[in-house]
Amino acid sequence: MGLNIEVTWDAPITVGLLEQFILQAKAAGATSDTTLEEITHDQDPQITLGWRVPVTGAAGPPREVAMPHRLMWNIHSMLEQIGSGEGDVRALQAEISDLDLELWEALMKHVGQ
């Protein structure tokens, strides 16, 4: 199973979303010469649904990596807010997106090691 960085057109595409996609792709080993793969519809390959960049260097057995204490605390806090909010996360979407990006960047520091 390979990892991929993906962006799809299932919601309005913003500059911020594209920026996040590019930052994640670069953290995963993409360069300015990396070719984007198209994500296409299963029944009609002529319909492009998004882009994909395969993560390089992520092969091998899973291993434990150190997570910064601050990031662990933020994840714990976010899960606690979600758990106590009856599952409604709409008010937390910006925080969740920021936390997701931070977690991804921390993870990508260990790809290929």
Side-chain angles (χ1 to χ4, degrees):
M1 175 186 89
L3 296 175
N4 295 308
I5 310 301
E6 296 182 348
V7 63
T8 57
W9 322 143
D10 55 354
I13 301 299
T14 63
V15 171
L17 183 63
L18 287 177
E19 179 182 35
Q20 184 178 7
F21 171 73
I22 290 169
L23 288 173
Q24 290 179 350
K26 285 184 176 180
T31 67
S32 59
D33 296 328
T34 300
T35 302
L36 299 175
E37 296 178 1
E38 289 185 341
I39 301 170
T40 58
H41 193 280
D42 290 338
Q43 296 175 350
D44 186 353
Q46 298 298 320
I47 299 175
T48 301
L49 302 175
W51 294 323
R52 171 185 303 124
V53 175
V55 173
T56 58
R63 61 185 174 88
E64 291 185 24
V65 296
M67 181 185 298
H69 180 266
R70 181 184 50 75
L71 183 55
M72 241 189 296
W73 183 258
N74 288 343
I75 291 170
H76 169 71
S77 175
M78 184 65 59
L79 292 173
E80 187 174 54
Q81 289 178 54
I82 291 169
S84 65
E86 297 178 6
D88 187 3
V89 298
R90 290 176 288 188
L92 301 172
Q93 286 179 332
E95 291 178 61
I96 290 170
S97 181
D98 292 344
L99 188 57
D100 178 53
L101 179 60
E102 190 175 352
L103 180 61
W104 183 256
E105 289 172 351
L107 173 65
M108 287 298 103
K109 289 179 183 176
H110 298 281
V111 171
Q113 290 183 352

